[in-house]
Amino acid sequence: LLFLWSITVSIFGIGGLLGSSGSRYLTVKYGKKKCLLCNNLLMIVAASIMGFSKIAQSFEMILIGRFMCGISAGLCVPLHHQYVGEISPKKLRGFANSTSSFFWSLGKAIGQISGQRELLGSQSLWPMLMAACGFPALVQLVTLPFFPESPPYLLMHKEDQEGCKKAIRQLWGEGHHQAEIDDIMKEKATMKNTKILSVLELVKEPAFRWQLYMIIILTATIQLCGINAV
């Protein structure tokens, strides 16, 4: 039982690693909006599997659902940051990106509170708690089609300048947005001369060694600061 509990908890992280590893390839090939929509479907399926696990009397369904949730979360973290940052006006981009961390923390807090035995953590209601992650995914699945694709993706990867201008007007309103388009073109020109490193190449690159050390130390200390205990 202890082994099964450990696997159930840790399999989310394994799924997250796989999801985040494939995010770059998927976003370049299919675009951020399509990836987010498909990711919502994945999360809804995962929530349904976990929600019906008690009726089916199958702990394997919880394992599968947790793994799929991990993949979905791993895809969502970089996708959400990129999409929100790219559809935001330049003066609000920093604020928009910072909201991601706020809502991640708020979601964790709501999950912890909802998991109390007086609420959804009871013997009869825990399947609803496991399936609750499907609700925000459903909200985004319904609302996201009304948003355009990321303007930088349309211009840099699809080379669709008219589509990019249309998306910018839809997001930021009518006006003269040539300066923003020029910025995207400059970024595209810069990326042509920049080699995209794989994870292994990044680890081996001496120029990024100290940055990697700092990220690893910060990430490790977050796990030790007591947030999980709280």
Side-chain angles (χ1 to χ4, degrees), residues 168-224:
I168 287 174
R169 285 195 297 269
Q170 184 179 343
L171 289 164
W172 306 339
E174 296 293 335
H176 187 68
H177 301 296
Q178 190 58 44
E180 286 83 357
I181 294 172
D182 290 340
D183 285 343
I184 297 171
M185 293 301 293
K186 286 178 186 175
E187 185 180 349
K188 182 180 179 181
T190 303
M191 287 191 68
K192 277 186 177 178
N193 301 320
T194 305
K195 183 187 176 184
I196 304 298
L197 300 177
S198 68
V199 176
L200 190 60
E201 288 172 333
L202 182 67
V203 171
K204 291 180 177 179
E205 180 60 49
F208 300 117
R209 195 66 48 79
W210 281 105
Q211 290 92 323
L212 277 172
Y213 288 159
M214 288 174 67
I215 290 170
I216 290 168
I217 291 168
L218 282 170
T219 307
T221 49
I222 286 171
Q223 299 301 315
L224 299 172

Side-chain angles (χ1 to χ4, degrees), residues 22-39 75 79 83 149-150 153-154 157-158:
S23 63
R24 179 182 168 271
Y25 170 77
L26 292 172
T27 51
V28 171
K29 187 171 179 61
Y30 300 108
K32 296 170 180 67
K33 181 182 171 182
K34 284 182 182 178
C35 286
L36 281 169
L37 286 169
C38 293
N39 193 45
L75 281 168
L79 272 175
Y83 185 69
E149 180 55 89
S150 158
Y153 173 79
L154 291 171
H157 297 287
K158 292 294 183 181

Side-chain angles (χ1 to χ4, degrees), residues 39-201:
N39 193 45
N40 291 325
L41 287 172
L42 179 64
M43 181 62 84
I44 291 168
V45 171
S48 302
I49 290 172
M50 291 189 294
F52 288 111
S53 60
K54 185 179 181 183
I55 295 173
Q57 296 184 341
S58 170
F59 72 88
E60 293 90 349
M61 289 174 69
I62 299 176
L63 282 167
I64 294 167
R66 286 274 298 171
F67 181 65
M68 292 172 67
C69 271
I71 294 174
S72 179
L75 281 168
C76 182
V77 173
L79 272 175
H80 184 266
H81 277 283
Q82 290 172 28
Y83 185 69
V84 169
E86 290 177 3
I87 67 172
S88 305
K90 186 182 285 187
K91 61 182 179 181
L92 296 175
R93 199 163 293 163
F95 170 76
N97 275 325
S98 67
T99 59
S100 302
S101 301
F102 169 76
F103 283 111
W104 276 106
S105 301
L106 181 64
K108 287 182 179 181
I110 292 171
Q112 293 284 349
I113 294 167
S114 302
Q116 298 300 307
R117 289 178 182 174
E118 292 80 6
L119 298 174
L120 295 179
S122 64
Q123 190 170 354
S124 59
L125 295 177
W126 67 261
M128 290 180 61
L129 178 66
M130 298 290 284
C133 56
F135 177 71
L138 181 62
V139 171
Q140 191 179 67
L141 185 66
V142 172
T143 56
L144 193 60
F146 296 99
F147 288 78
E149 180 55 89
S150 158
Y153 173 79
L154 291 171
L155 190 57
M156 293 171 64
H157 297 287
K158 292 294 183 181
E159 298 183 350
D160 183 4
Q161 191 159 349
E162 285 304 314
C164 175
K165 289 179 180 178
K166 184 180 177 182
I168 287 174
R169 285 195 297 269
Q170 184 179 343
L171 289 164
W172 306 339
E174 296 293 335
H176 187 68
H177 301 296
Q178 190 58 44
E180 286 83 357
I181 294 172
D182 290 340
D183 285 343
I184 297 171
M185 293 301 293
K186 286 178 186 175
E187 185 180 349
K188 182 180 179 181
T190 303
M191 287 191 68
K192 277 186 177 178
N193 301 320
T194 305
K195 183 187 176 184
I196 304 298
L197 300 177
S198 68
V199 176
L200 190 60
E201 288 172 333

